[in-house]
mmCIF file with all atom_site columns, all heavy atoms in Angstrom:
data_model
loop_
_atom_site.group_PDB
_atom_site.id
_atom_site.type_symbol
_atom_site.label_atom_id
_atom_site.label_alt_id
_atom_site.label_comp_id
_atom_site.label_asym_id
_atom_site.label_entity_id
_atom_site.label_seq_id
_atom_site.pdbx_PDB_ins_code
_atom_site.Cartn_x
_atom_site.Cartn_y
_atom_site.Cartn_z
_atom_site.occupancy
_atom_site.B_iso_or_equiv
_atom_site.pdbx_formal_charge
_atom_site.auth_seq_id
_atom_site.auth_comp_id
_atom_site.auth_asym_id
_atom_site.auth_atom_id
_atom_site.pdbx_PDB_model_num
ATOM 1   N N   . GLU V 1 1  ? 0.827   -1.192 -0.013  1.00 0.00 ? 189 GLU V N   1
ATOM 2   C CA  . GLU V 1 1  ? 0.005   0.010  0.001   1.00 0.00 ? 189 GLU V CA  1
ATOM 3   C C   . GLU V 1 1  ? 0.871   1.249  0.024   1.00 0.00 ? 189 GLU V C   1
ATOM 4   O O   . GLU V 1 1  ? 0.551   2.257  -0.625  1.00 0.00 ? 189 GLU V O   1
ATOM 5   C CB  . GLU V 1 1  ? -0.928  -0.034 1.199   1.00 0.00 ? 189 GLU V CB  1
ATOM 6   C CG  . GLU V 1 1  ? -2.060  -1.051 1.081   1.00 0.00 ? 189 GLU V CG  1
ATOM 7   C CD  . GLU V 1 1  ? -2.762  -1.322 2.395   1.00 0.00 ? 189 GLU V CD  1
ATOM 8   O OE1 . GLU V 1 1  ? -2.292  -0.851 3.453   1.00 0.00 ? 189 GLU V OE1 1
ATOM 9   O OE2 . GLU V 1 1  ? -3.771  -2.039 2.402   1.00 0.00 ? 189 GLU V OE2 1
ATOM 10  N N   . GLN V 1 2  ? 1.993   1.212  0.717   1.00 0.00 ? 190 GLN V N   1
ATOM 11  C CA  . GLN V 1 2  ? 2.877   2.317  0.712   1.00 0.00 ? 190 GLN V CA  1
ATOM 12  C C   . GLN V 1 2  ? 3.476   2.545  -0.686  1.00 0.00 ? 190 GLN V C   1
ATOM 13  O O   . GLN V 1 2  ? 3.635   3.679  -1.150  1.00 0.00 ? 190 GLN V O   1
ATOM 14  C CB  . GLN V 1 2  ? 4.048   2.113  1.725   1.00 0.00 ? 190 GLN V CB  1
ATOM 15  C CG  . GLN V 1 2  ? 3.583   2.150  3.158   1.00 0.00 ? 190 GLN V CG  1
ATOM 16  C CD  . GLN V 1 2  ? 4.718   1.875  4.126   1.00 0.00 ? 190 GLN V CD  1
ATOM 17  O OE1 . GLN V 1 2  ? 5.771   2.460  3.995   1.00 0.00 ? 190 GLN V OE1 1
ATOM 18  N NE2 . GLN V 1 2  ? 4.533   0.951  5.015   1.00 0.00 ? 190 GLN V NE2 1
ATOM 19  N N   . GLN V 1 3  ? 3.803   1.467  -1.393  1.00 0.00 ? 191 GLN V N   1
ATOM 20  C CA  . GLN V 1 3  ? 4.281   1.572  -2.754  1.00 0.00 ? 191 GLN V CA  1
ATOM 21  C C   . GLN V 1 3  ? 3.218   2.200  -3.666  1.00 0.00 ? 191 GLN V C   1
ATOM 22  O O   . GLN V 1 3  ? 3.589   3.101  -4.460  1.00 0.00 ? 191 GLN V O   1
ATOM 23  C CB  . GLN V 1 3  ? 4.631   0.167  -3.293  1.00 0.00 ? 191 GLN V CB  1
ATOM 24  C CG  . GLN V 1 3  ? 5.917   -0.425 -2.739  1.00 0.00 ? 191 GLN V CG  1
ATOM 25  C CD  . GLN V 1 3  ? 6.191   -1.755 -3.344  1.00 0.00 ? 191 GLN V CD  1
ATOM 26  O OE1 . GLN V 1 3  ? 5.309   -2.604 -3.543  1.00 0.00 ? 191 GLN V OE1 1
ATOM 27  N NE2 . GLN V 1 3  ? 7.447   -1.997 -3.735  1.00 0.00 ? 191 GLN V NE2 1
ATOM 28  N N   . VAL V 1 4  ? 1.982   1.779  -3.528  1.00 0.00 ? 192 VAL V N   1
ATOM 29  C CA  . VAL V 1 4  ? 0.922   2.363  -4.344  1.00 0.00 ? 192 VAL V CA  1
ATOM 30  C C   . VAL V 1 4  ? 0.777   3.866  -4.076  1.00 0.00 ? 192 VAL V C   1
ATOM 31  O O   . VAL V 1 4  ? 0.648   4.660  -5.007  1.00 0.00 ? 192 VAL V O   1
ATOM 32  C CB  . VAL V 1 4  ? -0.416  1.616  -4.127  1.00 0.00 ? 192 VAL V CB  1
ATOM 33  C CG1 . VAL V 1 4  ? -1.614  2.364  -4.797  1.00 0.00 ? 192 VAL V CG1 1
ATOM 34  C CG2 . VAL V 1 4  ? -0.300  0.168  -4.654  1.00 0.00 ? 192 VAL V CG2 1
ATOM 35  N N   . LEU V 1 5  ? 0.789   4.183  -2.790  1.00 0.00 ? 193 LEU V N   1
ATOM 36  C CA  . LEU V 1 5  ? 0.655   5.621  -2.424  1.00 0.00 ? 193 LEU V CA  1
ATOM 37  C C   . LEU V 1 5  ? 1.789   6.443  -2.963  1.00 0.00 ? 193 LEU V C   1
ATOM 38  O O   . LEU V 1 5  ? 1.611   7.569  -3.465  1.00 0.00 ? 193 LEU V O   1
ATOM 39  C CB  . LEU V 1 5  ? 0.579   5.716  -0.897  1.00 0.00 ? 193 LEU V CB  1
ATOM 40  C CG  . LEU V 1 5  ? 0.430   7.185  -0.361  1.00 0.00 ? 193 LEU V CG  1
ATOM 41  C CD1 . LEU V 1 5  ? -0.865  7.782  -0.874  1.00 0.00 ? 193 LEU V CD1 1
ATOM 42  C CD2 . LEU V 1 5  ? 0.391   7.148  1.181   1.00 0.00 ? 193 LEU V CD2 1
ATOM 43  N N   . GLU V 1 6  ? 2.997   5.926  -2.963  1.00 0.00 ? 194 GLU V N   1
ATOM 44  C CA  . GLU V 1 6  ? 4.164   6.623  -3.527  1.00 0.00 ? 194 GLU V CA  1
ATOM 45  C C   . GLU V 1 6  ? 3.961   6.879  -5.012  1.00 0.00 ? 194 GLU V C   1
ATOM 46  O O   . GLU V 1 6  ? 4.299   7.970  -5.489  1.00 0.00 ? 194 GLU V O   1
ATOM 47  C CB  . GLU V 1 6  ? 5.444   5.805  -3.241  1.00 0.00 ? 194 GLU V CB  1
ATOM 48  C CG  . GLU V 1 6  ? 5.871   5.818  -1.831  1.00 0.00 ? 194 GLU V CG  1
ATOM 49  C CD  . GLU V 1 6  ? 7.013   4.818  -1.555  1.00 0.00 ? 194 GLU V CD  1
ATOM 50  O OE1 . GLU V 1 6  ? 7.438   4.136  -2.520  1.00 0.00 ? 194 GLU V OE1 1
ATOM 51  O OE2 . GLU V 1 6  ? 7.438   4.689  -0.386  1.00 0.00 ? 194 GLU V OE2 1
ATOM 52  N N   . LYS V 1 7  ? 3.364   5.901  -5.697  1.00 0.00 ? 195 LYS V N   1
ATOM 53  C CA  . LYS V 1 7  ? 3.144   6.035  -7.152  1.00 0.00 ? 195 LYS V CA  1
ATOM 54  C C   . LYS V 1 7  ? 2.041   7.088  -7.386  1.00 0.00 ? 195 LYS V C   1
ATOM 55  O O   . LYS V 1 7  ? 2.126   7.831  -8.379  1.00 0.00 ? 195 LYS V O   1
ATOM 56  C CB  . LYS V 1 7  ? 2.770   4.735  -7.757  1.00 0.00 ? 195 LYS V CB  1
ATOM 57  C CG  . LYS V 1 7  ? 3.823   3.620  -7.698  1.00 0.00 ? 195 LYS V CG  1
ATOM 58  C CD  . LYS V 1 7  ? 5.111   4.065  -8.330  1.00 0.00 ? 195 LYS V CD  1
ATOM 59  C CE  . LYS V 1 7  ? 6.174   2.967  -8.251  1.00 0.00 ? 195 LYS V CE  1
ATOM 60  N NZ  . LYS V 1 7  ? 7.469   3.392  -8.803  1.00 0.00 ? 195 LYS V NZ  1
ATOM 61  N N   . VAL V 1 8  ? 1.049   7.133  -6.518  1.00 0.00 ? 196 VAL V N   1
ATOM 62  C CA  . VAL V 1 8  ? -0.002  8.169  -6.645  1.00 0.00 ? 196 VAL V CA  1
ATOM 63  C C   . VAL V 1 8  ? 0.606   9.541  -6.473  1.00 0.00 ? 196 VAL V C   1
ATOM 64  O O   . VAL V 1 8  ? 0.283   10.512 -7.175  1.00 0.00 ? 196 VAL V O   1
ATOM 65  C CB  . VAL V 1 8  ? -1.122  7.914  -5.626  1.00 0.00 ? 196 VAL V CB  1
ATOM 66  C CG1 . VAL V 1 8  ? -2.146  9.072  -5.645  1.00 0.00 ? 196 VAL V CG1 1
ATOM 67  C CG2 . VAL V 1 8  ? -1.850  6.613  -5.898  1.00 0.00 ? 196 VAL V CG2 1
ATOM 68  N N   . VAL V 1 9  ? 1.541   9.667  -5.483  1.00 0.00 ? 197 VAL V N   1
ATOM 69  C CA  . VAL V 1 9  ? 2.220   10.927 -5.241  1.00 0.00 ? 197 VAL V CA  1
ATOM 70  C C   . VAL V 1 9  ? 2.984   11.310 -6.481  1.00 0.00 ? 197 VAL V C   1
ATOM 71  O O   . VAL V 1 9  ? 3.111   12.539 -6.796  1.00 0.00 ? 197 VAL V O   1
ATOM 72  C CB  . VAL V 1 9  ? 3.151   10.794 -4.019  1.00 0.00 ? 197 VAL V CB  1
ATOM 73  C CG1 . VAL V 1 9  ? 4.018   12.007 -3.876  1.00 0.00 ? 197 VAL V CG1 1
ATOM 74  C CG2 . VAL V 1 9  ? 2.332   10.585 -2.728  1.00 0.00 ? 197 VAL V CG2 1
ATOM 75  N N   . GLU V 1 10 ? 3.569   10.345 -7.202  1.00 0.00 ? 198 GLU V N   1
ATOM 76  C CA  . GLU V 1 10 ? 4.342   10.656 -8.438  1.00 0.00 ? 198 GLU V CA  1
ATOM 77  C C   . GLU V 1 10 ? 3.417   11.086 -9.559  1.00 0.00 ? 198 GLU V C   1
ATOM 78  O O   . GLU V 1 10 ? 3.937   11.546 -10.577 1.00 0.00 ? 198 GLU V O   1
ATOM 79  C CB  . GLU V 1 10 ? 5.151   9.421  -8.826  1.00 0.00 ? 198 GLU V CB  1
ATOM 80  C CG  . GLU V 1 10 ? 6.267   9.084  -7.860  1.00 0.00 ? 198 GLU V CG  1
ATOM 81  C CD  . GLU V 1 10 ? 6.936   7.751  -8.189  1.00 0.00 ? 198 GLU V CD  1
ATOM 82  O OE1 . GLU V 1 10 ? 6.653   7.202  -9.300  1.00 0.00 ? 198 GLU V OE1 1
ATOM 83  O OE2 . GLU V 1 10 ? 7.727   7.270  -7.401  1.00 0.00 ? 198 GLU V OE2 1
ATOM 84  N N   . GLY V 1 11 ? 2.094   10.928 -9.390  1.00 0.00 ? 199 GLY V N   1
ATOM 85  C CA  . GLY V 1 11 ? 1.143   11.370 -10.414 1.00 0.00 ? 199 GLY V CA  1
ATOM 86  C C   . GLY V 1 11 ? 0.738   10.300 -11.380 1.00 0.00 ? 199 GLY V C   1
ATOM 87  O O   . GLY V 1 11 ? 0.137   10.583 -12.418 1.00 0.00 ? 199 GLY V O   1
ATOM 88  N N   . LEU V 1 12 ? 1.052   9.017  -11.066 1.00 0.00 ? 200 LEU V N   1
ATOM 89  C CA  . LEU V 1 12 ? 0.708   7.933  -11.971 1.00 0.00 ? 200 LEU V CA  1
ATOM 90  C C   . LEU V 1 12 ? -0.787  7.567  -11.809 1.00 0.00 ? 200 LEU V C   1
ATOM 91  O O   . LEU V 1 12 ? -1.356  7.640  -10.756 1.00 0.00 ? 200 LEU V O   1
ATOM 92  C CB  . LEU V 1 12 ? 1.531   6.714  -11.688 1.00 0.00 ? 200 LEU V CB  1
ATOM 93  C CG  . LEU V 1 12 ? 3.094   6.898  -11.780 1.00 0.00 ? 200 LEU V CG  1
ATOM 94  C CD1 . LEU V 1 12 ? 3.789   5.578  -11.606 1.00 0.00 ? 200 LEU V CD1 1
ATOM 95  C CD2 . LEU V 1 12 ? 3.483   7.498  -13.134 1.00 0.00 ? 200 LEU V CD2 1
ATOM 96  N N   . SER V 1 13 ? -1.350  7.118  -12.932 1.00 0.00 ? 201 SER V N   1
ATOM 97  C CA  . SER V 1 13 ? -2.732  6.576  -12.895 1.00 0.00 ? 201 SER V CA  1
ATOM 98  C C   . SER V 1 13 ? -2.746  5.178  -12.346 1.00 0.00 ? 201 SER V C   1
ATOM 99  O O   . SER V 1 13 ? -1.649  4.529  -12.224 1.00 0.00 ? 201 SER V O   1
ATOM 100 C CB  . SER V 1 13 ? -3.289  6.608  -14.316 1.00 0.00 ? 201 SER V CB  1
ATOM 101 O OG  . SER V 1 13 ? -2.615  5.638  -15.118 1.00 0.00 ? 201 SER V OG  1
ATOM 102 N N   . SER V 1 14 ? -3.885  4.684  -12.050 1.00 0.00 ? 202 SER V N   1
ATOM 103 C CA  . SER V 1 14 ? -3.997  3.264  -11.522 1.00 0.00 ? 202 SER V CA  1
ATOM 104 C C   . SER V 1 14 ? -3.443  2.312  -12.554 1.00 0.00 ? 202 SER V C   1
ATOM 105 O O   . SER V 1 14 ? -2.792  1.323  -12.192 1.00 0.00 ? 202 SER V O   1
ATOM 106 C CB  . SER V 1 14 ? -5.471  2.945  -11.180 1.00 0.00 ? 202 SER V CB  1
ATOM 107 O OG  . SER V 1 14 ? -5.869  3.710  -10.066 1.00 0.00 ? 202 SER V OG  1
ATOM 108 N N   . LYS V 1 15 ? -3.724  2.562  -13.815 1.00 0.00 ? 203 LYS V N   1
ATOM 109 C CA  . LYS V 1 15 ? -3.254  1.649  -14.892 1.00 0.00 ? 203 LYS V CA  1
ATOM 110 C C   . LYS V 1 15 ? -1.698  1.645  -14.902 1.00 0.00 ? 203 LYS V C   1
ATOM 111 O O   . LYS V 1 15 ? -1.068  0.611  -14.988 1.00 0.00 ? 203 LYS V O   1
ATOM 112 C CB  . LYS V 1 15 ? -3.773  2.058  -16.195 1.00 0.00 ? 203 LYS V CB  1
ATOM 113 C CG  . LYS V 1 15 ? -3.342  1.154  -17.370 1.00 0.00 ? 203 LYS V CG  1
ATOM 114 C CD  . LYS V 1 15 ? -3.955  1.641  -18.697 1.00 0.00 ? 203 LYS V CD  1
ATOM 115 C CE  . LYS V 1 15 ? -3.435  0.761  -19.814 1.00 0.00 ? 203 LYS V CE  1
ATOM 116 N NZ  . LYS V 1 15 ? -3.972  1.187  -21.157 1.00 0.00 ? 203 LYS V NZ  1
ATOM 117 N N   . GLN V 1 16 ? -1.126  2.826  -14.818 1.00 0.00 ? 204 GLN V N   1
ATOM 118 C CA  . GLN V 1 16 ? 0.344   2.943  -14.849 1.00 0.00 ? 204 GLN V CA  1
ATOM 119 C C   . GLN V 1 16 ? 0.979   2.284  -13.566 1.00 0.00 ? 204 GLN V C   1
ATOM 120 O O   . GLN V 1 16 ? 2.012   1.667  -13.700 1.00 0.00 ? 204 GLN V O   1
ATOM 121 C CB  . GLN V 1 16 ? 0.744   4.396  -14.908 1.00 0.00 ? 204 GLN V CB  1
ATOM 122 C CG  . GLN V 1 16 ? 0.456   5.069  -16.252 1.00 0.00 ? 204 GLN V CG  1
ATOM 123 C CD  . GLN V 1 16 ? 0.653   6.600  -16.226 1.00 0.00 ? 204 GLN V CD  1
ATOM 124 O OE1 . GLN V 1 16 ? 0.298   7.223  -15.218 1.00 0.00 ? 204 GLN V OE1 1
ATOM 125 N NE2 . GLN V 1 16 ? 1.219   7.128  -17.277 1.00 0.00 ? 204 GLN V NE2 1
ATOM 126 N N   . ILE V 1 17 ? 0.287   2.470  -12.451 1.00 0.00 ? 205 ILE V N   1
ATOM 127 C CA  . ILE V 1 17 ? 0.790   1.846  -11.218 1.00 0.00 ? 205 ILE V CA  1
ATOM 128 C C   . ILE V 1 17 ? 0.807   0.353  -11.374 1.00 0.00 ? 205 ILE V C   1
ATOM 129 O O   . ILE V 1 17 ? 1.744   -0.365 -10.983 1.00 0.00 ? 205 ILE V O   1
ATOM 130 C CB  . ILE V 1 17 ? -0.076  2.285  -10.020 1.00 0.00 ? 205 ILE V CB  1
ATOM 131 C CG1 . ILE V 1 17 ? 0.109   3.770  -9.770  1.00 0.00 ? 205 ILE V CG1 1
ATOM 132 C CG2 . ILE V 1 17 ? 0.331   1.487  -8.756  1.00 0.00 ? 205 ILE V CG2 1
ATOM 133 C CD1 . ILE V 1 17 ? -0.831  4.354  -8.706  1.00 0.00 ? 205 ILE V CD1 1
ATOM 134 N N   . GLY V 1 18 ? -0.312  -0.204 -11.904 1.00 0.00 ? 206 GLY V N   1
ATOM 135 C CA  . GLY V 1 18 ? -0.402  -1.642 -12.116 1.00 0.00 ? 206 GLY V CA  1
ATOM 136 C C   . GLY V 1 18 ? 0.716   -2.174 -13.012 1.00 0.00 ? 206 GLY V C   1
ATOM 137 O O   . GLY V 1 18 ? 1.299   -3.232 -12.724 1.00 0.00 ? 206 GLY V O   1
ATOM 138 N N   . GLU V 1 19 ? 1.033   -1.433 -14.075 1.00 0.00 ? 207 GLU V N   1
ATOM 139 C CA  . GLU V 1 19 ? 2.083   -1.845 -14.987 1.00 0.00 ? 207 GLU V CA  1
ATOM 140 C C   . GLU V 1 19 ? 3.451   -1.832 -14.294 1.00 0.00 ? 207 GLU V C   1
ATOM 141 O O   . GLU V 1 19 ? 4.276   -2.753 -14.501 1.00 0.00 ? 207 GLU V O   1
ATOM 142 C CB  . GLU V 1 19 ? 2.099   -0.895 -16.227 1.00 0.00 ? 207 GLU V CB  1
ATOM 143 C CG  . GLU V 1 19 ? 0.855   -1.093 -17.094 1.00 0.00 ? 207 GLU V CG  1
ATOM 144 C CD  . GLU V 1 19 ? 0.772   -0.050 -18.169 1.00 0.00 ? 207 GLU V CD  1
ATOM 145 O OE1 . GLU V 1 19 ? 1.543   0.932  -18.152 1.00 0.00 ? 207 GLU V OE1 1
ATOM 146 O OE2 . GLU V 1 19 ? -0.133  -0.150 -19.071 1.00 0.00 ? 207 GLU V OE2 1
ATOM 147 N N   . GLN V 1 20 ? 3.700   -0.791 -13.486 1.00 0.00 ? 208 GLN V N   1
ATOM 148 C CA  . GLN V 1 20 ? 5.011   -0.690 -12.860 1.00 0.00 ? 208 GLN V CA  1
ATOM 149 C C   . GLN V 1 20 ? 5.185   -1.741 -11.736 1.00 0.00 ? 208 GLN V C   1
ATOM 150 O O   . GLN V 1 20 ? 6.300   -2.270 -11.518 1.00 0.00 ? 208 GLN V O   1
ATOM 151 C CB  . GLN V 1 20 ? 5.219   0.710  -12.256 1.00 0.00 ? 208 GLN V CB  1
ATOM 152 C CG  . GLN V 1 20 ? 5.433   1.787  -13.301 1.00 0.00 ? 208 GLN V CG  1
ATOM 153 C CD  . GLN V 1 20 ? 6.155   2.996  -12.777 1.00 0.00 ? 208 GLN V CD  1
ATOM 154 O OE1 . GLN V 1 20 ? 6.595   3.031  -11.620 1.00 0.00 ? 208 GLN V OE1 1
ATOM 155 N NE2 . GLN V 1 20 ? 6.280   4.032  -13.609 1.00 0.00 ? 208 GLN V NE2 1
ATOM 156 N N   . LEU V 1 21 ? 4.082   -2.033 -11.033 1.00 0.00 ? 209 LEU V N   1
ATOM 157 C CA  . LEU V 1 21 ? 4.178   -2.984 -9.950  1.00 0.00 ? 209 LEU V CA  1
ATOM 158 C C   . LEU V 1 21 ? 3.849   -4.425 -10.355 1.00 0.00 ? 209 LEU V C   1
ATOM 159 O O   . LEU V 1 21 ? 3.885   -5.328 -9.558  1.00 0.00 ? 209 LEU V O   1
ATOM 160 C CB  . LEU V 1 21 ? 3.251   -2.564 -8.776  1.00 0.00 ? 209 LEU V CB  1
ATOM 161 C CG  . LEU V 1 21 ? 3.539   -1.197 -8.151  1.00 0.00 ? 209 LEU V CG  1
ATOM 162 C CD1 . LEU V 1 21 ? 2.611   -0.916 -7.003  1.00 0.00 ? 209 LEU V CD1 1
ATOM 163 C CD2 . LEU V 1 21 ? 4.992   -1.160 -7.626  1.00 0.00 ? 209 LEU V CD2 1
ATOM 164 N N   . ASP V 1 22 ? 3.463   -4.544 -11.660 1.00 0.00 ? 210 ASP V N   1
ATOM 165 C CA  . ASP V 1 22 ? 3.150   -5.852 -12.228 1.00 0.00 ? 210 ASP V CA  1
ATOM 166 C C   . ASP V 1 22 ? 1.932   -6.517 -11.492 1.00 0.00 ? 210 ASP V C   1
ATOM 167 O O   . ASP V 1 22 ? 1.996   -7.693 -11.110 1.00 0.00 ? 210 ASP V O   1
ATOM 168 C CB  . ASP V 1 22 ? 4.312   -6.811 -12.161 1.00 0.00 ? 210 ASP V CB  1
ATOM 169 C CG  . ASP V 1 22 ? 4.150   -8.037 -13.090 1.00 0.00 ? 210 ASP V CG  1
ATOM 170 O OD1 . ASP V 1 22 ? 3.340   -7.948 -14.032 1.00 0.00 ? 210 ASP V OD1 1
ATOM 171 O OD2 . ASP V 1 22 ? 4.792   -9.043 -12.765 1.00 0.00 ? 210 ASP V OD2 1
ATOM 172 N N   . VAL V 1 23 ? 0.911   -5.706 -11.264 1.00 0.00 ? 211 VAL V N   1
ATOM 173 C CA  . VAL V 1 23 ? -0.344  -6.220 -10.670 1.00 0.00 ? 211 VAL V CA  1
ATOM 174 C C   . VAL V 1 23 ? -1.509  -5.682 -11.529 1.00 0.00 ? 211 VAL V C   1
ATOM 175 O O   . VAL V 1 23 ? -1.356  -4.787 -12.346 1.00 0.00 ? 211 VAL V O   1
ATOM 176 C CB  . VAL V 1 23 ? -0.502  -5.730 -9.224  1.00 0.00 ? 211 VAL V CB  1
ATOM 177 C CG1 . VAL V 1 23 ? 0.590   -6.335 -8.344  1.00 0.00 ? 211 VAL V CG1 1
ATOM 178 C CG2 . VAL V 1 23 ? -0.536  -4.202 -9.086  1.00 0.00 ? 211 VAL V CG2 1
ATOM 179 N N   . SER V 1 24 ? -2.674  -6.298 -11.352 1.00 0.00 ? 212 SER V N   1
ATOM 180 C CA  . SER V 1 24 ? -3.841  -5.915 -12.130 1.00 0.00 ? 212 SER V CA  1
ATOM 181 C C   . SER V 1 24 ? -4.423  -4.600 -11.727 1.00 0.00 ? 212 SER V C   1
ATOM 182 O O   . SER V 1 24 ? -4.174  -4.126 -10.585 1.00 0.00 ? 212 SER V O   1
ATOM 183 C CB  . SER V 1 24 ? -4.917  -7.018 -11.989 1.00 0.00 ? 212 SER V CB  1
ATOM 184 O OG  . SER V 1 24 ? -5.452  -6.998 -10.710 1.00 0.00 ? 212 SER V OG  1
ATOM 185 N N   . LEU V 1 25 ? -5.191  -3.978 -12.576 1.00 0.00 ? 213 LEU V N   1
ATOM 186 C CA  . LEU V 1 25 ? -5.870  -2.763 -12.289 1.00 0.00 ? 213 LEU V CA  1
ATOM 187 C C   . LEU V 1 25 ? -6.821  -2.960 -11.068 1.00 0.00 ? 213 LEU V C   1
ATOM 188 O O   . LEU V 1 25 ? -6.920  -2.074 -10.211 1.00 0.00 ? 213 LEU V O   1
ATOM 189 C CB  . LEU V 1 25 ? -6.675  -2.269 -13.472 1.00 0.00 ? 213 LEU V CB  1
ATOM 190 C CG  . LEU V 1 25 ? -7.484  -0.988 -13.291 1.00 0.00 ? 213 LEU V CG  1
ATOM 191 C CD1 . LEU V 1 25 ? -6.560  0.204  -12.977 1.00 0.00 ? 213 LEU V CD1 1
ATOM 192 C CD2 . LEU V 1 25 ? -8.276  -0.680 -14.564 1.00 0.00 ? 213 LEU V CD2 1
ATOM 193 N N   . HIS V 1 26 ? -7.446  -4.105 -11.015 1.00 0.00 ? 214 HIS V N   1
ATOM 194 C CA  . HIS V 1 26 ? -8.335  -4.440 -9.910  1.00 0.00 ? 214 HIS V CA  1
ATOM 195 C C   . HIS V 1 26 ? -7.590  -4.454 -8.559  1.00 0.00 ? 214 HIS V C   1
ATOM 196 O O   . HIS V 1 26 ? -8.097  -3.888 -7.552  1.00 0.00 ? 214 HIS V O   1
ATOM 197 C CB  . HIS V 1 26 ? -8.982  -5.795 -10.142 1.00 0.00 ? 214 HIS V CB  1
ATOM 198 C CG  . HIS V 1 26 ? -9.858  -6.266 -9.012  1.00 0.00 ? 214 HIS V CG  1
ATOM 199 N ND1 . HIS V 1 26 ? -11.083 -5.687 -8.734  1.00 0.00 ? 214 HIS V ND1 1
ATOM 200 C CD2 . HIS V 1 26 ? -9.693  -7.245 -8.088  1.00 0.00 ? 214 HIS V CD2 1
ATOM 201 C CE1 . HIS V 1 26 ? -11.599 -6.298 -7.673  1.00 0.00 ? 214 HIS V CE1 1
ATOM 202 N NE2 . HIS V 1 26 ? -10.781 -7.228 -7.257  1.00 0.00 ? 214 HIS V NE2 1
ATOM 203 N N   . THR V 1 27 ? -6.382  -5.005 -8.546  1.00 0.00 ? 215 THR V N   1
ATOM 204 C CA  . THR V 1 27 ? -5.561  -5.048 -7.343  1.00 0.00 ? 215 THR V CA  1
ATOM 205 C C   . THR V 1 27 ? -5.182  -3.635 -6.928  1.00 0.00 ? 215 THR V C   1
ATOM 206 O O   . THR V 1 27 ? -5.209  -3.314 -5.735  1.00 0.00 ? 215 THR V O   1
ATOM 207 C CB  . THR V 1 27 ? -4.295  -5.883 -7.579  1.00 0.00 ? 215 THR V CB  1
ATOM 208 O OG1 . THR V 1 27 ? -4.721  -7.224 -7.845  1.00 0.00 ? 215 THR V OG1 1
ATOM 209 C CG2 . THR V 1 27 ? -3.406  -5.868 -6.342  1.00 0.00 ? 215 THR V CG2 1
ATOM 210 N N   . VAL V 1 28 ? -4.785  -2.770 -7.867  1.00 0.00 ? 216 VAL V N   1
ATOM 211 C CA  . VAL V 1 28 ? -4.425  -1.398 -7.537  1.00 0.00 ? 216 VAL V CA  1
ATOM 212 C C   . VAL V 1 28 ? -5.622  -0.693 -6.940  1.00 0.00 ? 216 VAL V C   1
ATOM 213 O O   . VAL V 1 28 ? -5.473  0.023  -5.930  1.00 0.00 ? 216 VAL V O   1
ATOM 214 C CB  . VAL V 1 28 ? -3.946  -0.662 -8.808  1.00 0.00 ? 216 VAL V CB  1
ATOM 215 C CG1 . VAL V 1 28 ? -3.716  0.843  -8.477  1.00 0.00 ? 216 VAL V CG1 1
ATOM 216 C CG2 . VAL V 1 28 ? -2.647  -1.291 -9.317  1.00 0.00 ? 216 VAL V CG2 1
ATOM 217 N N   . ASP V 1 29 ? -6.801  -0.861 -7.545  1.00 0.00 ? 217 ASP V N   1
ATOM 218 C CA  . ASP V 1 29 ? -8.011  -0.210 -6.991  1.00 0.00 ? 217 ASP V CA  1
ATOM 219 C C   . ASP V 1 29 ? -8.340  -0.659 -5.573  1.00 0.00 ? 217 ASP V C   1
ATOM 220 O O   . ASP V 1 29 ? -8.766  0.112  -4.736  1.00 0.00 ? 217 ASP V O   1
ATOM 221 C CB  . ASP V 1 29 ? -9.186  -0.437 -7.918  1.00 0.00 ? 217 ASP V CB  1
ATOM 222 C CG  . ASP V 1 29 ? -9.090  0.367  -9.208  1.00 0.00 ? 217 ASP V CG  1
ATOM 223 O OD1 . ASP V 1 29 ? -8.310  1.368  -9.212  1.00 0.00 ? 217 ASP V OD1 1
ATOM 224 O OD2 . ASP V 1 29 ? -9.747  0.012  -10.212 1.00 0.00 ? 217 ASP V OD2 1
ATOM 225 N N   . ASN V 1 30 ? -8.104  -1.945 -5.320  1.00 0.00 ? 218 ASN V N   1
ATOM 226 C CA  . ASN V 1 30 ? -8.318  -2.480 -3.937  1.00 0.00 ? 218 ASN V CA  1
ATOM 227 C C   . ASN V 1 30 ? -7.361  -1.822 -2.976  1.00 0.00 ? 218 ASN V C   1
ATOM 228 O O   . ASN V 1 30 ? -7.731  -1.432 -1.854  1.00 0.00 ? 218 ASN V O   1
ATOM 229 C CB  . ASN V 1 30 ? -8.121  -3.990 -3.926  1.00 0.00 ? 218 ASN V CB  1
ATOM 230 C CG  . ASN V 1 30 ? -9.338  -4.739 -4.410  1.00 0.00 ? 218 ASN V CG  1
ATOM 231 O OD1 . ASN V 1 30 ? -10.437 -4.209 -4.400  1.00 0.00 ? 218 ASN V OD1 1
ATOM 232 N ND2 . ASN V 1 30 ? -9.153  -6.011 -4.786  1.00 0.00 ? 218 ASN V ND2 1
#
């Protein structure tokens, strides 16, 4: 969750976060 939050701070979309962390869009939204 801290990783996801850091990516949000960087301005990434949920799709971009999923691609960088190699997880699904559904997982990022959760």
Side-chain angles (χ1 to χ4, degrees):
E189 288 164 352
Q190 292 178 51
Q191 286 182 317
V192 170
L193 181 58
E194 288 169 2
K195 298 301 180 183
V196 174
V197 171
E198 293 172 10
L200 301 185
S201 67
S202 292
K203 181 180 179 181
Q204 291 171 320
I205 294 172
E207 291 172 350
Q208 288 202 8
L209 299 182
D210 194 24
V211 296
S212 70
L213 178 61
H214 176 71
T215 298
V216 174
D217 287 339
N218 279 340

